[in-house]
Amino acid sequence: MGVQLTVRPGRGCTVLEVRGELDMATSPQLREGLRRLVDGGDRQVVVDLAEVGFMDSSALGALVVNFKALREVGGRLCLAAVQPAVRSVLTVTSVDRAIQVYDTVQAAEAAVPPTDDTAAR
């Protein structure tokens, strides 16, 4: 099974919806998808993992690399709607201590810090 990435605007952020399994074969797609967002100027990214039932270390690496890339440009990456098996991987590896994990995409969107653009609205 492959992975499907869908980008959509969120509330004050960009949401990357991920569907499928994240393993050595599909992690490069995740890494590249996130890299395109960063390179395209997105600074607040929520990765929606509601439809991901499996994640291995290569996917963790893709998330961490892009988390750091966003942090370096003053941005933020967080994870949302993480399934129990994936949450277990995040916890065992302590990735959840660096990257914030939210129960829902809506909770992640609500935690996006306001920018000058959104504060003026």
Side-chain angles (χ1 to χ4, degrees):
M1 178 181 181
V3 70
Q4 181 182 19
L5 305 177
T6 306
V7 178
R8 69 170 178 81
R11 206 174 98 223
C13 63
T14 300
V15 177
L16 178 65
E17 297 173 343
V18 184
R19 287 186 177 86
E21 294 188 354
L22 290 171
D23 55 25
M24 284 180 50
T26 59
S27 290
Q29 289 173 259
L30 175 65
R31 184 182 302 249
E32 181 57 32
L34 286 166
R35 173 54 61 196
R36 277 194 301 266
L37 293 177
V38 175
D39 290 348
D42 290 293
R43 294 296 174 254
Q44 302 294 328
V45 178
V46 175
V47 181
D48 178 355
L49 296 173
E51 299 294 324
V52 175
F54 175 82
M55 177 188 294
D56 72 6
S57 61
S58 60
L60 287 174
L63 291 171
V64 170
V65 162
N66 284 285
F67 167 79
K68 289 179 179 178
L70 274 164
R71 189 177 59 190
E72 287 172 7
V73 295
R76 178 174 170 267
L77 179 139
C78 64
L79 309 177
V82 179
Q83 298 301 309
V86 173
R87 186 175 287 271
S88 175
V89 171
L90 296 169
T91 301
V92 166
T93 58
S94 297
V95 168
D96 63 346
R97 291 183 182 195
I99 302 175
Q100 287 186 292
V101 180
Y102 295 90
D103 290 336
T104 65
V105 172
Q106 292 79 13
E109 289 175 322
V112 171
T115 63
D116 292 339
D117 292 348
T118 57
R121 289 183 197 157

